[in-house]
């Protein structure tokens, strides 16, 4: 699919050799480079401070620092692992060939380990490869950080670090490679449309979060003990930062300052606004009053759902995706969670997992020009099947590997803090600090 190869995050991988960047036909473009530098900073801004504040306000006051600490530690850990081998596992194209399924279809090699071959003159399309590497690094940072919301207030900090490092290696990098790696990548060859990470980031993190919260078990006192967010002001500030930063996430995925970036920005705004309103009105109708936490959650649901579609859907498609994601994520984060009884502390699965699935599937519908999209989708039913196949593969792969990683870590070092530490709060018991000294 020509448009998919032009617009997606894996768009220009065919221009990069397995070792060093090949000479490019197109010279460096200062406008594209300036935009990508900005987009990269915006995506990092989504994790620190955006996600840290969003999650930090939703936990109890005795755990605010633990959640923020996890976001900062993950930012450091993923940055180093991305440089050492993550970029290579995700984007090394050695051995890949369109239509051929082999080991290289599932994960890249180590030809770019330690960013071997990178120079100031290396290009990815019309931007420095160093900028592309950093942009992709910010995606590798926020994905595991999203998982934190599912097991907040009960995992050991040491176990969290080990889990995130192994999960990044065995789950994130291979899924990114399969979806964005270019010709020869498993889901790339299937034709899965994922412009900016609906599958790679949100379904991946959401499913991992669901597995993690089930394996760890419920927080002490859940669901009978009140565990209300301690500072919704912080959560709303974090949600606002995520909303703004997401323009880098989606519009930046065009890898240039072009019409695709402009349309991605527009549809991101439309879908997010629609989801915020649809969650708010669904909650208003169900519970009698609209809440600040509800509209903040609706914002994130819309941002998540439009992510895979941002490069291929038009304004009407974005509106429908936003309206649908707000309502569906509201139901899953409230009624479904209560019915099934799992303790997804901050609704990582209910918002990111479910929102990612909704967005991935509806991308297959509204990317079609017949419905106002800009993708090369002539057969909506076929593309919907391709999207579903990508979703199912990611769900199964991520769930199984995440479960195994958690079980092994639990045997080796234990996953969960003691009951006493959980009662005291992770801020004091794990970090010997308080978020508030009154």
């Amino acid at each position: 699919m020509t448009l998919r190869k032009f617009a997606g995050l894996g768009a220009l991988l065919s221009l990069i050799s397995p070792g060093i960047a090949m000479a490019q036909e197109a010279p460096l473009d200062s406008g594209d480079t300036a935009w990508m530098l900005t987009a990269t900073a915006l995506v990092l801004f989504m994790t620190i401070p955006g996600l840290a504040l969003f999650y930090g306000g939703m936990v109890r006051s005795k755990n605010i620092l633990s959640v923020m600490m996890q976001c900062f530690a993950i930012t450091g850990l993923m940055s180093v692992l991305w440089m050492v081998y993550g970029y290579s596992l995700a984007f090394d194209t050695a051995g890949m060939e369109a239509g051929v399924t082999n080991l290289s279809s599932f994960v890249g090699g180590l030809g770019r380990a330690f960013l071997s071959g990178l120079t100031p003159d290396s290009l990815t399309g019309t931007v420095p490869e160093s900028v592309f590497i950093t942009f992709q690094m910010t995606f590798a940072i926020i994905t595991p950080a999203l998982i934190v919301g599912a097991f907040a207030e009960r995992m050991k900090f040491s176990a969290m670090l080990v889990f995130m490092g192994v999960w990044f290696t065995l789950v994130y990098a291979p899924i990114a490679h399969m979806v964005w790696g270019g010709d020869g990548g498993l889901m790339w060859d299937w034709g899965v449309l994922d412009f900016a990470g609906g599958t790679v980031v949100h379904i991946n993190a959401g499913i991992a979060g669901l597995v993690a919260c089930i394996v760890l078990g419920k927080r002490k006192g859940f669901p009978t003990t009140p565990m209300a967010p301690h500072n919704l002001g912080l959560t709303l500030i974090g949600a606002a930062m995520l909303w703004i930063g997401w323009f880098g996430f989606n519009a930046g995925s065009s890898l240039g300052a072009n019409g695709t970036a402009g349309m991605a920005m527009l549809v991101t705004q439309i879908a997010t606004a629609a989801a915020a309103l649809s969650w708010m009105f669904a909650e208003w109708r169900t519970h009698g009053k609209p809440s600040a936490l509800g509209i903040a959650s609706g914002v994130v649901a819309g941002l998540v759902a439009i992510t895979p579609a941002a490069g291929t859907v038009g304004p009407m498609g974005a509106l429908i995706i936003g309206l649908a994601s707000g309502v569906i994520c509201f139901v899953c984060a409230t009624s479904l969670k209560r019915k099934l009884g799992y303790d997804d502390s901050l609704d990582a699965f209910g918002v990111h997992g479910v929102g990612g699935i909704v967005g991935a599937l509806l991308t297959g519908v509204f990317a079609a020009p017949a419905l106002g999209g800009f993708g090369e989708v002539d057969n909506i039913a076929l593309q919907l099947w391709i999207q579903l196949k990508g979703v199912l593969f990611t769900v199964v792969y991520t769930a199984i590997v995440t479960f195994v990683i958690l079980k092994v870590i639990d045997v080796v070092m234990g996953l969960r803090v003691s009951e006493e530490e959980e009662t005291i709060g992770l801020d004091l018991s794990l970090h010997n600090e308080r978020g508030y000294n009154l």
Side-chain angles (χ1 to χ4, degrees), residues 1 34 51 56 84 94 114 131 184 210 220-221 250-251 270 273 293 333 393 403-404 406 411 418 425 430:
M1 296 183 181
L51 187 67
V84 174
F114 294 95
V131 176
L210 178 63
K220 183 181 177 183
N250 286 356
I270 291 169
L293 178 59
F393 179 90
F403 179 80
V404 172
L406 288 167
V411 170
S418 67
L430 298 187

Side-chain angles (χ1 to χ4, degrees), residues 37 49 68 78 92 122 125 155 172 193 220 231 249 254 285 288 305 343 361 378 392 396 398 411 417 421 425:
L37 287 166
M68 290 185 160
M78 295 306 131
D92 186 352
S122 302
M155 185 182 277
Y172 179 81
L193 297 175
K220 183 181 177 183
N231 192 330
F249 203 73
S254 66
R285 178 181 175 83
D343 184 12
L361 295 178
D378 299 322
L392 292 175
V396 172
T398 300
V411 170
V417 298
E421 289 172 325

Side-chain angles (χ1 to χ4, degrees), residues 232-385:
L232 283 177
L234 294 182
T235 296
L236 285 171
I237 292 170
M241 290 177 173
L242 287 169
W243 193 334
I244 294 168
W246 222 285
F247 291 122
F249 203 73
N250 286 356
S253 295
S254 66
L255 301 182
N258 50 43
T260 302
M263 185 59 73
M265 176 172 279
L266 175 61
V267 299
T268 297
Q269 181 67 16
I270 291 169
T272 305
L277 293 175
S278 66
W279 184 305
M280 181 184 76
F281 283 116
E283 182 181 46
W284 202 340
R285 178 181 175 83
T286 303
H287 301 303
K289 294 180 181 180
S291 72
L293 178 59
I295 199 168
S297 300
V299 163
V300 178
L303 291 166
V304 169
I306 196 60
T307 294
T312 52
V313 304
M316 285 304 299
L319 180 66
I320 296 171
I321 288 172
L323 292 172
S325 62
V327 173
I328 294 171
C329 289
F330 166 72
V331 172
C332 290
T334 55
S335 302
L336 181 65
K337 184 169 77 169
R338 284 196 300 270
K339 184 175 182 179
L340 298 181
Y342 58 86
D343 184 12
D344 177 5
S345 307
L346 311 181
D347 294 317
F349 170 71
V351 173
H352 294 277
V354 174
I357 291 170
V358 170
L361 295 178
L362 292 183
T363 298
V365 176
F366 293 106
L371 295 177
F374 304 100
E376 293 185 352
V377 178
D378 299 322
N379 187 327
I380 294 176
L382 175 60
Q383 188 62 47
L384 186 57
W385 162 243

Side-chain angles (χ1 to χ4, degrees), residues 419-432:
E419 281 197 18
E420 181 181 3
E421 289 172 325
E422 189 174 345
T423 300
I424 294 171
L426 305 193
D427 290 359
L428 269 177
S429 61
L430 298 187
H431 306 293
N432 199 31

Side-chain angles (χ1 to χ4, degrees), residues 22-388:
M22 297 173 63
Q24 307 297 309
E25 293 181 5
L28 183 145
D29 185 287
S30 59
D32 290 346
T33 300
W35 165 235
M36 291 308 299
L37 287 166
T38 303
T40 300
L42 284 170
V43 182
L44 181 59
F45 183 74
M46 290 168 64
T47 304
I48 49 172
L51 187 67
L53 288 168
F54 182 72
Y55 278 171
M58 284 196 282
V59 296
R60 289 168 287 181
S61 59
K62 62 184 179 181
N63 293 312
I64 180 175
L65 292 182
S66 70
V67 169
M68 290 185 160
M69 178 71 172
Q70 287 170 1
C71 289
F72 273 81
I74 287 169
T75 300
L77 179 62
M78 295 306 131
S79 298
V80 173
L81 294 183
W82 188 251
M83 175 265 176
V84 174
Y85 60 81
Y87 177 67
S88 191
L89 292 181
F91 291 108
D92 186 352
T93 59
M96 296 176 67
E97 183 180 346
V100 176
T101 302
N102 53 30
L103 179 60
S104 298
S105 301
F106 296 89
V107 67
L110 294 175
R112 302 303 307 276
F114 294 95
L115 305 184
S116 172
L118 178 67
T119 72
D121 298 322
S122 302
L123 295 181
T124 297
T126 58
V127 302
E129 188 187 5
S130 57
V131 176
F132 176 74
I133 290 170
T134 313
F135 182 66
Q136 286 294 326
M137 180 190 290
T138 61
F139 281 64
I141 288 168
I142 196 168
T143 306
L146 293 172
I147 305 172
V148 166
F151 57 71
E153 303 191 309
R154 58 199 190 273
M155 185 182 277
K156 292 180 181 178
F157 185 71
S158 56
M160 184 278 301
L161 287 174
V162 174
F163 168 65
M164 292 303 181
V166 178
W167 187 87
F168 163 80
T169 306
L170 299 183
V171 180
Y172 179 81
I175 293 292
H177 181 79
M178 285 184 261
V179 175
W180 289 334
D183 289 340
L186 183 70
M187 285 186 271
W188 178 278
D189 278 359
W190 288 353
V192 171
L193 297 175
D194 185 5
F195 186 74
T199 301
V200 176
V201 176
H202 299 291
I203 298 175
N204 212 2
I207 294 300
L210 178 63
V211 173
C213 75
I214 292 173
V215 171
L216 264 79
K218 301 172 186 178
R219 287 169 291 177
K220 183 181 177 183
F222 180 89
T224 55
T225 302
M227 297 181 182
H230 87 282
N231 192 330
L232 283 177
L234 294 182
T235 296
L236 285 171
I237 292 170
M241 290 177 173
L242 287 169
W243 193 334
I244 294 168
W246 222 285
F247 291 122
F249 203 73
N250 286 356
S253 295
S254 66
L255 301 182
N258 50 43
T260 302
M263 185 59 73
M265 176 172 279
L266 175 61
V267 299
T268 297
Q269 181 67 16
I270 291 169
T272 305
L277 293 175
S278 66
W279 184 305
M280 181 184 76
F281 283 116
E283 182 181 46
W284 202 340
R285 178 181 175 83
T286 303
H287 301 303
K289 294 180 181 180
S291 72
L293 178 59
I295 199 168
S297 300
V299 163
V300 178
L303 291 166
V304 169
I306 196 60
T307 294
T312 52
V313 304
M316 285 304 299
L319 180 66
I320 296 171
I321 288 172
L323 292 172
S325 62
V327 173
I328 294 171
C329 289
F330 166 72
V331 172
C332 290
T334 55
S335 302
L336 181 65
K337 184 169 77 169
R338 284 196 300 270
K339 184 175 182 179
L340 298 181
Y342 58 86
D343 184 12
D344 177 5
S345 307
L346 311 181
D347 294 317
F349 170 71
V351 173
H352 294 277
V354 174
I357 291 170
V358 170
L361 295 178
L362 292 183
T363 298
V365 176
F366 293 106
L371 295 177
F374 304 100
E376 293 185 352
V377 178
D378 299 322
N379 187 327
I380 294 176
L382 175 60
Q383 188 62 47
L384 186 57
W385 162 243
I386 292 171
Q387 297 299 107
L388 178 60

